Amino acid sequence: MRLPDEQRRAGHIPAHVYQQIPPGTDVRKVVIVQEAPRSYKGPIVLTLVITAGSVVVLLVIAYVTQVIAASLVSVLSATCGITYTLSRTAKRKGSSRALGK
């Protein structure tokens, strides 16, 4: 009997429990009910669901913001003649063309 659970299964009553039994009680008929070990599966799954939900909500907000901005630019360019362009300039390092030589 190495573990406390094995002692309880073998009929051993711990001293602190034995002191709580009223005098005159037949200890062979005493049943010790053990509390089930705590499961951390539920809180872990809940944390993962909340995290995944938060990420999904942020992605949806970013997508909706992008769609609203694109539609706003297209409406403004169609009605007022305002345009919005993204331009990327090519940067060449060490090229004689970029330095004007």
Side-chain angles (χ1 to χ4, degrees):
M1 289 186 278
R2 296 180 190 143
L3 302 173
D5 293 340
E6 293 174 353
Q7 291 177 350
R8 287 195 182 124
R9 285 189 215 115
H12 174 75
I13 300 174
H16 69 280
V17 176
Y18 189 72
Q19 293 172 356
Q20 296 174 359
I21 298 174
T25 305
D26 187 11
V27 291
R28 293 175 292 173
K29 295 183 180 180
V30 172
V31 177
I32 298 174
V33 180
Q34 230 180 333
E35 185 178 343
R38 180 173 172 137
S39 172
Y40 292 99
K41 183 179 180 181
I44 290 172
V45 170
L46 181 64
T47 303
L48 291 174
V49 167
I50 289 172
T51 304
S54 300
V55 169
V56 168
V57 166
L58 289 174
L59 288 174
V60 168
I61 289 172
Y63 179 74
V64 168
T65 304
Q66 180 183 4
V67 169
I68 289 172
S71 63
L72 182 66
V73 166
S74 66
V75 167
L76 287 176
S77 66
T79 57
C80 303
I82 298 173
T83 59
Y84 180 77
T85 59
L86 295 174
S87 63
R88 293 179 57 186
T89 58
K91 294 182 181 179
R92 297 180 185 161
K93 292 183 180 179
S95 173
S96 62
R97 292 180 187 173
L99 297 175
K101 293 182 181 179

